Amino acid sequence: MIAGKSIHASFVKFLNLMKRLFLPLLAAPLLLQAAPKLERIGDTFERPIFVTSRPDNANHLFIVEQAGKVFLHDQASGKTLAEPFLDLSSKVTRKHNEQGLLGLAFAPDYPESGRFYANFSNKKGDNEIVRFTVSDPKNAKTCSLDSMESLLTLEQPYGNHNGGYLEFGPDGMLYIGTGDGGAANDPKANAQDLSNLLGKILRIDVSPSQGYEVPKDNPFTGSQEAPEIFAYGLRNPWRCSWDGEDLYIADVGQNKWEEINVVNIKQLNGANFGWRPREGLIETPAKKVGGAKPKGAIDPVEVYKHGMGDYEGLSINGGYVYRGSVKELQGQYLYSDHINPRIWSFTYKNGKAVNHQDLTETLARPDGKKFTQLASFGIDADQEQYVVEMGGGAVWKIVD
């Protein structure tokens, strides 16, 4: 009996201890939040390279395949139309790994004008910027090649560094990102040459009924300069994106560093980002290539070195500042690496990249497999964001 009382008293003390420990937790409000995750869009695509939507309809996604096809995916039904919305494969070359259909942008007035734009490697291997027009933009399921109008052709001396960025800016102008022409270390010094369109951010006005105009406030309009140039000194911007009046430029590095530049639209006018004398924050290591920072050149806000570590990589994929429905990601700029399949983010504040996060585990594939060749990010009309996995043939939506 004495032993039984002792056991009972010990048990009561144990229960009281558990109450003191856990009752406050039970009474407190539940603070746990669901983590963001990825949800697959459609089935398997052939080397998807980009995804976007019409400016008036987030439900309809346009998924770009590198070989030249664009597929229309209906998010409400979960179905991808069998017939491509656009089939440019007869005009696109994929002779080199970085060539293909690389960019797609819908005009802000697409619901009325039916106009959209593409950036692709043509059969000669040159980059071509073209315009298409559909007659019934709100209901169009396909677009005929007959409506194609060529606006600008960029001669490419080599098969790589083709850029491909295409997006309308906050000023309604079309911005185009071009690579330096390829090979290694910009052998023709194109990026610093203001008479050459390679290694640049171009800015054109595509509002005329035909062709385009050069905006009067573009900075380089002298007789020895190419007037379409708005900024220069880039190696291979992959990719860029606007957030309000700030442009984020992810520029693929040479042998040492990957970099991200952030500038507002006023700073962008005439900006020099330093390539080829500079790679990231340093002098380009190659002999007779690197040098002092050009006068007034803008340094990147973020760099990471080459390697396969947790914060290393070999080829950057620029993303977007997150403005979608997942609260935990609000205001974060997402980016990844093509070779080292990791996803990171930072917040841009007072001219600096802060609050760095590694989202690789958070935004992992739901099936537990590793990503294969991440290619880019995309956003829709509701600002929801997508991750494009080229090697795995998958498009993933970031959801709560």
Side-chain angles (χ1 to χ4, degrees):
M1 292 295 294
I2 295 175
K5 288 182 180 180
S6 176
I7 293 173
H8 177 74
S10 298
F11 184 67
V12 170
K13 288 182 180 179
F14 174 77
L15 288 178
N16 289 332
L17 176 62
M18 292 300 101
K19 287 178 182 180
R20 287 197 300 271
L21 289 174
F22 290 107
L23 279 179
L25 293 178
L26 292 174
L30 187 62
L31 299 178
L32 296 177
Q33 295 179 333
K37 65 177 184 178
L38 297 182
E39 181 180 89
R40 189 157 188 166
I41 298 294
D43 295 319
T44 300
F45 298 92
E46 182 182 347
R47 290 181 69 83
I49 202 166
F50 187 56
V51 59
T52 187
S53 81
R54 292 163 30 183
D56 64 325
N57 187 344
N59 180 57
H60 285 173
L61 295 180
F62 294 83
I63 297 166
V64 179
E65 292 185 341
Q66 191 176 4
K69 294 180 180 180
V70 180
F71 286 92
L72 175 58
H73 178 83
D74 187 299
Q75 295 202 77
S77 67
K79 294 181 179 179
T80 305
L81 299 188
E83 183 179 359
F85 172 76
L86 178 69
D87 188 353
L88 265 175
S89 54
S90 63
K91 298 184 179 295
V92 169
T93 186
R94 277 278 296 113
K95 183 178 179 181
H96 296 278
N97 183 57
E98 295 179 18
Q99 294 175 329
L101 175 54
L102 304 174
L104 190 74
F106 288 87
D109 67 348
Y110 173 81
E112 293 76 41
S113 70
R115 288 175 151 194
F116 67 95
Y117 299 80
N119 185 340
F120 67 93
S121 306
N122 64 23
K123 290 299 184 180
K124 292 183 179 181
D126 297 327
N127 271 52
E128 197 167 344
I129 312 301
V130 299
R131 174 163 55 215
F132 292 95
T133 307
V134 296
S135 57
D136 184 10
K138 292 186 178 181
N139 299 300
K141 300 296 188 293
T142 60
C143 178
S144 170
L145 292 185
D146 294 340
S147 71
M148 189 176 85
E149 177 191 359
S150 183
L151 299 179
L152 187 62
T153 300
L154 309 169
E155 294 186 10
Q156 297 283 349
Y158 306 99
N160 58 339
H161 300 184
N162 307 105
Y165 165 68
L166 204 61
E167 187 181 16
F168 283 88
D171 54 0
M173 301 299 169
L174 183 63
Y175 288 78
I176 304 162
T178 70
D180 64 8
N185 289 304
D186 192 8
K188 297 182 180 293
N190 290 324
Q192 293 291 320
D193 181 358
L194 294 177
S195 68
N196 187 294
L197 296 177
L198 300 178
K200 312 293 193 302
I201 296 293
L202 311 181
R203 176 180 182 252
I204 60 176
D205 180 357
V206 293
S207 64
S209 58
Q210 290 185 324
Y212 70 89
E213 294 178 354
V214 174
K216 293 180 180 179
D217 56 345
N218 272 17
F220 305 110
T221 56
S223 60
Q224 302 300 315
E225 299 167 337
E228 293 88 353
I229 296 172
F230 202 63
Y232 63 109
L234 295 166
R235 184 175 179 273
N236 190 32
W238 187 269
R239 298 184 174 252
C240 315
S241 65
W242 287 98
D243 181 54
E245 293 196 343
D246 291 334
L247 183 66
Y248 289 67
I249 305 170
D251 200 16
V252 179
Q254 181 64 55
N255 293 320
K256 295 291 184 180
W257 295 95
E258 303 297 301
E259 70 176 69
I260 299 167
N261 299 277
V262 185
V263 291
N264 64 45
I265 195 168
K266 291 181 180 179
Q267 292 174 307
L268 185 64
N269 190 327
N272 182 357
F273 295 102
W275 175 256
R276 74 175 188 173
R278 313 294 290 180
E279 180 183 2
L281 295 168
I282 68 169
E283 180 178 319
T284 302
K287 292 181 179 180
K288 298 182 180 181
V289 174
K293 186 168 74 170
K295 184 178 180 180
I298 296 174
D299 282 332
V301 301
E302 183 69 12
V303 297
Y304 63 86
K305 66 180 181 180
H306 281 196
M308 294 297 285
D310 287 351
Y311 194 50
E312 296 176 341
L314 298 168
S315 183
I316 194 169
N317 302 314
Y320 298 81
V321 175
Y322 190 87
R323 303 294 181 192
S325 59
V326 181
K327 293 181 180 179
E328 292 87 346
L329 296 178
Q330 284 294 329
Q332 296 181 47
Y333 172 73
L334 273 61
Y335 58 107
S336 67
D337 194 85
H338 181 62
I339 305 300
N340 187 15
R342 303 191 70 84
I343 299 175
W344 306 285
S345 74
F346 64 74
T347 304
Y348 181 66
K349 188 175 182 180
N350 298 326
K352 296 182 179 180
V354 297
N355 301 326
H356 295 76
Q357 295 192 44
D358 188 336
L359 300 175
T360 306
E361 297 300 323
T362 300
L363 299 179
R365 285 183 56 131
D367 58 10
K369 296 180 180 179
K370 285 189 175 182
F371 288 116
T372 307
Q373 293 182 321
L374 291 171
S376 67
F377 294 78
I379 55 171
D380 62 28
D382 290 339
Q383 300 299 301
E384 299 298 343
Q385 199 160 150
Y386 302 80
V387 178
V388 182
E389 182 189 8
M390 177 189 287
V395 174
W396 305 92
K397 184 176 184 178
I398 300 175
V399 298
D400 199 337

